[in-house]
PDB file of all heavy atoms in Angstrom:
ATOM      1  N   VAL A 118     177.994 146.666   4.356  1.00  0.00           N
ATOM      2  CA  VAL A 118     179.185 147.515   4.462  1.00  0.00           C
ATOM      3  C   VAL A 118     178.766 148.922   4.835  1.00  0.00           C
ATOM      4  O   VAL A 118     177.625 149.323   4.657  1.00  0.00           O
ATOM      5  CB  VAL A 118     179.940 147.514   3.090  1.00  0.00           C
ATOM      6  CG1 VAL A 118     179.151 148.289   2.038  1.00  0.00           C
ATOM      7  CG2 VAL A 118     181.352 148.067   3.228  1.00  0.00           C
ATOM      8  N   THR A 119     179.705 149.680   5.395  1.00  0.00           N
ATOM      9  CA  THR A 119     179.555 151.133   5.627  1.00  0.00           C
ATOM     10  C   THR A 119     180.407 151.875   4.620  1.00  0.00           C
ATOM     11  O   THR A 119     181.598 151.575   4.496  1.00  0.00           O
ATOM     12  CB  THR A 119     179.944 151.500   7.053  1.00  0.00           C
ATOM     13  OG1 THR A 119     179.089 150.801   7.966  1.00  0.00           O
ATOM     14  CG2 THR A 119     179.787 153.005   7.296  1.00  0.00           C
ATOM     15  N   LEU A 120     179.796 152.810   3.898  1.00  0.00           N
ATOM     16  CA  LEU A 120     180.500 153.534   2.840  1.00  0.00           C
ATOM     17  C   LEU A 120     180.596 155.011   3.164  1.00  0.00           C
ATOM     18  O   LEU A 120     179.610 155.741   3.125  1.00  0.00           O
ATOM     19  CB  LEU A 120     179.746 153.351   1.517  1.00  0.00           C
ATOM     20  CG  LEU A 120     179.546 151.909   1.023  1.00  0.00           C
ATOM     21  CD1 LEU A 120     178.604 151.901  -0.163  1.00  0.00           C
ATOM     22  CD2 LEU A 120     180.881 151.279   0.686  1.00  0.00           C
ATOM     23  N   PRO A 121     181.790 155.496   3.551  1.00  0.00           N
ATOM     24  CA  PRO A 121     181.941 156.911   3.814  1.00  0.00           C
ATOM     25  C   PRO A 121     181.892 157.722   2.511  1.00  0.00           C
ATOM     26  O   PRO A 121     182.258 157.220   1.443  1.00  0.00           O
ATOM     27  CB  PRO A 121     183.315 157.031   4.469  1.00  0.00           C
ATOM     28  CG  PRO A 121     184.056 155.841   3.982  1.00  0.00           C
ATOM     29  CD  PRO A 121     183.048 154.759   3.761  1.00  0.00           C
ATOM     30  N   TYR A 122     181.406 158.964   2.628  1.00  0.00           N
ATOM     31  CA  TYR A 122     181.385 159.844   1.439  1.00  0.00           C
ATOM     32  C   TYR A 122     181.591 161.271   1.903  1.00  0.00           C
ATOM     33  O   TYR A 122     181.417 161.628   3.078  1.00  0.00           O
ATOM     34  CB  TYR A 122     180.052 159.717   0.681  1.00  0.00           C
ATOM     35  CG  TYR A 122     178.852 160.201   1.458  1.00  0.00           C
ATOM     36  CD1 TYR A 122     178.419 161.519   1.390  1.00  0.00           C
ATOM     37  CD2 TYR A 122     178.177 159.330   2.315  1.00  0.00           C
ATOM     38  CE1 TYR A 122     177.327 161.960   2.132  1.00  0.00           C
ATOM     39  CE2 TYR A 122     177.070 159.784   3.058  1.00  0.00           C
ATOM     40  CZ  TYR A 122     176.654 161.069   2.950  1.00  0.00           C
ATOM     41  OH  TYR A 122     175.599 161.516   3.681  1.00  0.00           O
ATOM     42  N   SER A 123     181.991 162.127   0.962  1.00  0.00           N
ATOM     43  CA  SER A 123     182.196 163.558   1.277  1.00  0.00           C
ATOM     44  C   SER A 123     182.082 164.361  -0.005  1.00  0.00           C
ATOM     45  O   SER A 123     182.151 163.813  -1.118  1.00  0.00           O
ATOM     46  CB  SER A 123     183.558 163.789   1.938  1.00  0.00           C
ATOM     47  OG  SER A 123     184.608 163.390   1.057  1.00  0.00           O
ATOM     48  N   GLY A 124     181.922 165.658   0.142  1.00  0.00           N
ATOM     49  CA  GLY A 124     181.927 166.551  -1.002  1.00  0.00           C
ATOM     50  C   GLY A 124     180.699 166.492  -1.866  1.00  0.00           C
ATOM     51  O   GLY A 124     180.731 166.919  -3.025  1.00  0.00           O
ATOM     52  N   VAL A 125     179.595 165.991  -1.327  1.00  0.00           N
ATOM     53  CA  VAL A 125     178.356 165.923  -2.123  1.00  0.00           C
ATOM     54  C   VAL A 125     177.783 167.328  -2.263  1.00  0.00           C
ATOM     55  O   VAL A 125     177.770 168.112  -1.288  1.00  0.00           O
ATOM     56  CB  VAL A 125     177.340 164.981  -1.482  1.00  0.00           C
ATOM     57  CG1 VAL A 125     176.009 165.023  -2.208  1.00  0.00           C
ATOM     58  CG2 VAL A 125     177.891 163.562  -1.484  1.00  0.00           C
ATOM     59  N   ASP A 126     177.327 167.661  -3.446  1.00  0.00           N
ATOM     60  CA  ASP A 126     176.778 168.999  -3.716  1.00  0.00           C
ATOM     61  C   ASP A 126     175.274 168.964  -3.392  1.00  0.00           C
ATOM     62  O   ASP A 126     174.456 168.538  -4.196  1.00  0.00           O
ATOM     63  CB  ASP A 126     177.014 169.369  -5.176  1.00  0.00           C
ATOM     64  CG  ASP A 126     176.482 170.766  -5.529  1.00  0.00           C
ATOM     65  OD1 ASP A 126     176.237 171.554  -4.565  1.00  0.00           O
ATOM     66  OD2 ASP A 126     176.325 171.075  -6.716  1.00  0.00           O
ATOM     67  N   ILE A 127     174.921 169.406  -2.182  1.00  0.00           N
ATOM     68  CA  ILE A 127     173.515 169.484  -1.772  1.00  0.00           C
ATOM     69  C   ILE A 127     172.971 170.858  -2.175  1.00  0.00           C
ATOM     70  O   ILE A 127     173.459 171.877  -1.683  1.00  0.00           O
ATOM     71  CB  ILE A 127     173.361 169.297  -0.251  1.00  0.00           C
ATOM     72  CG1 ILE A 127     173.997 167.980   0.193  1.00  0.00           C
ATOM     73  CG2 ILE A 127     171.887 169.340   0.125  1.00  0.00           C
ATOM     74  CD1 ILE A 127     173.331 166.736  -0.321  1.00  0.00           C
ATOM     75  N   PRO A 128     171.979 170.894  -3.060  1.00  0.00           N
ATOM     76  CA  PRO A 128     171.473 172.221  -3.493  1.00  0.00           C
ATOM     77  C   PRO A 128     170.797 172.930  -2.309  1.00  0.00           C
ATOM     78  O   PRO A 128     170.129 172.331  -1.483  1.00  0.00           O
ATOM     79  CB  PRO A 128     170.462 171.873  -4.581  1.00  0.00           C
ATOM     80  CG  PRO A 128     170.094 170.465  -4.321  1.00  0.00           C
ATOM     81  CD  PRO A 128     171.268 169.781  -3.716  1.00  0.00           C
ATOM     82  N   THR A 129     170.995 174.243  -2.281  1.00  0.00           N
ATOM     83  CA  THR A 129     170.347 175.067  -1.238  1.00  0.00           C
ATOM     84  C   THR A 129     168.892 175.283  -1.614  1.00  0.00           C
ATOM     85  O   THR A 129     168.583 175.700  -2.727  1.00  0.00           O
ATOM     86  CB  THR A 129     171.069 176.421  -1.113  1.00  0.00           C
ATOM     87  OG1 THR A 129     172.446 176.196  -0.811  1.00  0.00           O
ATOM     88  CG2 THR A 129     170.438 177.245  -0.038  1.00  0.00           C
ATOM     89  N   THR A 130     168.033 174.990  -0.684  1.00  0.00           N
ATOM     90  CA  THR A 130     166.609 175.168  -0.916  1.00  0.00           C
ATOM     91  C   THR A 130     166.231 176.627  -0.552  1.00  0.00           C
ATOM     92  O   THR A 130     166.426 177.016   0.610  1.00  0.00           O
ATOM     93  CB  THR A 130     165.775 174.203  -0.054  1.00  0.00           C
ATOM     94  OG1 THR A 130     166.169 172.874  -0.369  1.00  0.00           O
ATOM     95  CG2 THR A 130     164.288 174.386  -0.331  1.00  0.00           C
ATOM     96  N   PRO A 131     165.738 177.398  -1.510  1.00  0.00           N
ATOM     97  CA  PRO A 131     165.346 178.778  -1.186  1.00  0.00           C
ATOM     98  C   PRO A 131     164.247 178.796  -0.119  1.00  0.00           C
ATOM     99  O   PRO A 131     163.336 177.983  -0.173  1.00  0.00           O
ATOM    100  CB  PRO A 131     164.841 179.323  -2.531  1.00  0.00           C
ATOM    101  CG  PRO A 131     165.354 178.401  -3.578  1.00  0.00           C
ATOM    102  CD  PRO A 131     165.478 177.069  -2.915  1.00  0.00           C
ATOM    103  N   GLN A 132     164.368 179.723   0.806  1.00  0.00           N
ATOM    104  CA  GLN A 132     163.366 179.851   1.857  1.00  0.00           C
ATOM    105  C   GLN A 132     162.228 180.744   1.383  1.00  0.00           C
ATOM    106  O   GLN A 132     162.450 181.815   0.832  1.00  0.00           O
ATOM    107  CB  GLN A 132     164.007 180.443   3.142  1.00  0.00           C
ATOM    108  CG  GLN A 132     165.036 179.534   3.769  1.00  0.00           C
ATOM    109  CD  GLN A 132     164.417 178.187   4.181  1.00  0.00           C
ATOM    110  OE1 GLN A 132     163.396 178.142   4.869  1.00  0.00           O
ATOM    111  NE2 GLN A 132     165.053 177.118   3.753  1.00  0.00           N
ATOM    112  N   PRO A 133     160.974 180.281   1.588  1.00  0.00           N
ATOM    113  CA  PRO A 133     159.846 181.125   1.197  1.00  0.00           C
ATOM    114  C   PRO A 133     159.874 182.476   1.946  1.00  0.00           C
ATOM    115  O   PRO A 133     160.230 182.537   3.111  1.00  0.00           O
ATOM    116  CB  PRO A 133     158.634 180.294   1.621  1.00  0.00           C
ATOM    117  CG  PRO A 133     159.128 178.890   1.725  1.00  0.00           C
ATOM    118  CD  PRO A 133     160.554 179.017   2.176  1.00  0.00           C
TER     119      PRO A 133
END
Side-chain angles (χ1 to χ4, degrees):
V118 71
T119 299
L120 302 172
Y122 65 91
S123 62
V125 174
D126 182 17
I127 305 293
T129 301
T130 302
Q132 294 300 308

